[in-house]
Amino acid sequence: AKHILSASVLYTLKIALFSVAAAVPVYFVRAPLLKAFEGHSRWVSYGIPVAVSGIIFAAAGVVLLLVTKDSVIWPLVKKFAKKAAK
């Protein structure tokens, strides 16, 4: 039980660090995104930058998991690859 707890804590720390790392590109594109969509309706001015920021954050997180060969992401990649091959 002690091994499971320590592995869980380490994985939680890894994901937290990856979240911080994935937030870095979002931080740098925030201002240009807001400026690009200013002057439109509230839905467009704020909604599109939020959606694009979310996509960037998710993509950066997935790339980090793939690069570090995370044990959780690879079964998902294989599952999607099998479905795409059909």
Side-chain angles (χ1 to χ4, degrees):
K2 190 174 184 179
H3 173 69
I4 294 172
L5 182 61
S6 64
S8 297
V9 169
L10 287 175
Y11 193 77
T12 301
L13 288 173
K14 175 182 171 180
I15 296 300
L17 287 173
F18 283 3
S19 294
V20 170
V24 171
V26 173
Y27 175 79
F28 287 109
V29 299
R30 182 176 175 256
L33 275 175
L34 287 171
K35 188 166 184 84
F37 293 100
E38 72 183 353
H40 298 297
S41 71
R42 188 181 332 170
W43 284 99
V44 172
S45 292
Y46 297 109
I48 291 176
V50 166
V52 171
S53 296
I55 291 167
I56 292 169
F57 179 82
V62 169
V63 167
L64 287 169
L65 291 172
L66 290 172
V67 167
T68 59
K69 296 183 173 123
D70 185 76
S71 62
V72 174
I73 195 84
W74 283 107
L76 292 173
V77 169
K78 289 177 184 173
K79 186 175 184 177
F80 282 114
K82 278 185 182 178
K83 285 188 178 189
K86 287 184 178 181

